[in-house]
Amino acid sequence: MYLKKIPDEHDCGISVALKIVGGKWKAWIINCISKGMIRPSQLHRELTVTSPRVINIHLRELEKYGIIDKIVHPGLPLKVEYFLTETGKSVLPIIDIMERWGDNHRQPVNEPDN
Amino acid sequence: MYLKKIPDEHDCGISVALKIVGGKWKAWIINCISKGMIRPSQLHRELTVTSPRVINIHLRELEKYGIIDKIVHPGLPLKVEYFLTETGKSVLPIIDIMERWGDNHRQPVNEPDN
DNA sequence: CAATATAGGGAAGAAAACTTCCCTACATGA
DNA sequence: TCATGTAGGGAAGTTTTCTTCCCTATATTG
């Protein structure tokens, strides 16, 4: 979790939603968990573009916001599993529509890149 | 527009969509334009939480991505108007669903704030 | 004994995003 | 003449977000 100097006010729904789904990896992580990749090591293997550290940070954040639940199975070897909460499941349509839109508008957004 | 050191790859639709709708003000600006606030000075007056400079930067960016069109009416005094393109209009459902979700989940996301 | 797998975090640095300050240029109204 | 309204940008600074490096700890496998 990152320290914020300026508290945000959650004045509009958009900014609330962006706390969950904005950012570079959160939506992807939520997507992965919804598809059954519920153990940290699975996520680490799938998201090789980022380091495990990055995924962990986002998992803590999503847990803090009540999007995912963490279940620690007692005993060794360690076994941890993440699940989407009801709130977390309600985010999936947002991710879905964003993914569809992005897939259909890759060109116009992509072209002007320098 | 901001200079980027690391080019992004647009590998997934989510990241494409977030280029338009992520960030602190872009979704809000798109929303305002769709509601008829099409002149720069109108937007500046409405979004007093940010400086005009910030809005201008985002307007350039949205224009670059083909989300809005800029029409400069010739003659003085200067008159400029922005319109959503067809691509821009197709973004509105994303903003809408994000806003709804955020309004309905203010508490769980808001609570853990320090 | 060393390597790998499990799960995770502190510190520090890099990049991206946001913000403020101050500037151009023209016209109108006080 | 001076203030305000129109539209906009350069430079520099701050904040937020992302990333890398290097640690802890235990169990299993080679």
Side-chain angles (χ1 to χ4, degrees):
Chain A
M1 196 60 48
Y2 306 110
L3 190 90
K4 284 189 184 169
K5 292 198 178 178
I6 299 173
D8 42 17
E9 304 129 30
H10 305 291
D11 36 3
C12 78
I14 293 170
S15 68
V16 175
L18 280 175
K19 295 189 76 164
I20 305 307
V21 110
K24 211 164 171 179
W25 307 111
K26 287 204 204 82
W28 196 359
I29 290 172
I30 294 171
N31 231 359
C32 285
I33 293 175
S34 84
K35 284 170 183 165
M37 294 154 56
I38 59 176
R39 298 196 56 190
S41 52
Q42 284 180 300
L43 291 164
H44 294 338
R45 272 192 298 269
E46 185 72 10
L47 289 130
T48 45
V49 261
T50 342
S51 69
R53 180 87 178 98
V54 175
I55 297 168
N56 288 343
I57 290 173
H58 289 306
L59 286 171
R60 295 302 137 263
E61 199 166 341
L62 292 171
E63 198 188 346
K64 190 187 86 167
Y65 287 140
I67 304 300
I68 58 174
D69 268 340
K70 177 183 179 178
I71 293 176
V72 183
H73 295 277
L76 289 163
L78 292 167
K79 189 178 177 188
V80 172
E81 288 179 330
Y82 292 102
F83 296 96
L84 293 183
T85 61
E86 285 309 308
T87 305
K89 287 175 190 166
S90 72
V91 177
L92 295 176
I94 302 180
I95 295 175
D96 191 56
I97 196 175
M98 278 177 36
E99 194 161 25
R100 281 172 203 273
W101 189 92
D103 284 335
N104 290 328
H105 298 85
R106 223 170 271 264
Q107 291 83 34
V109 176
N110 206 346
E111 270 159 17
D113 257 3
N114 27 0
Chain B
M1 194 60 46
Y2 306 110
L3 190 89
K4 284 188 186 171
K5 293 198 177 176
I6 298 173
D8 42 16
E9 305 130 30
H10 305 292
D11 37 3
C12 77
I14 294 171
S15 68
V16 175
L18 280 176
K19 295 187 76 164
I20 306 306
V21 109
K24 210 164 169 179
W25 306 111
K26 287 204 204 83
W28 197 359
I29 290 173
I30 294 171
N31 232 358
C32 284
I33 293 175
S34 83
K35 285 171 182 164
M37 295 153 57
I38 60 176
R39 298 195 57 189
S41 51
Q42 284 180 299
L43 291 165
H44 295 338
R45 272 192 298 270
E46 184 73 10
L47 290 130
T48 45
V49 260
T50 340
S51 70
R53 180 86 177 99
V54 175
I55 296 169
N56 288 343
I57 290 173
H58 289 305
L59 286 170
R60 297 301 138 264
E61 199 168 340
L62 291 171
E63 198 189 346
K64 190 187 86 168
Y65 287 140
I67 303 301
I68 58 174
D69 268 341
K70 176 184 179 177
I71 292 176
V72 182
H73 296 278
L76 288 163
L78 292 168
K79 190 178 177 188
V80 173
E81 288 179 330
Y82 292 103
F83 296 96
L84 293 184
T85 61
E86 284 309 308
T87 305
K89 287 174 189 166
S90 72
V91 177
L92 294 175
I94 303 180
I95 295 174
D96 192 55
I97 195 176
M98 277 177 37
E99 194 161 24
R100 282 172 203 274
W101 189 93
D103 284 336
N104 290 327
H105 298 84
R106 224 169 269 266
Q107 290 82 34
V109 176
N110 206 346
E111 270 159 17
D113 257 2
N114 27 0

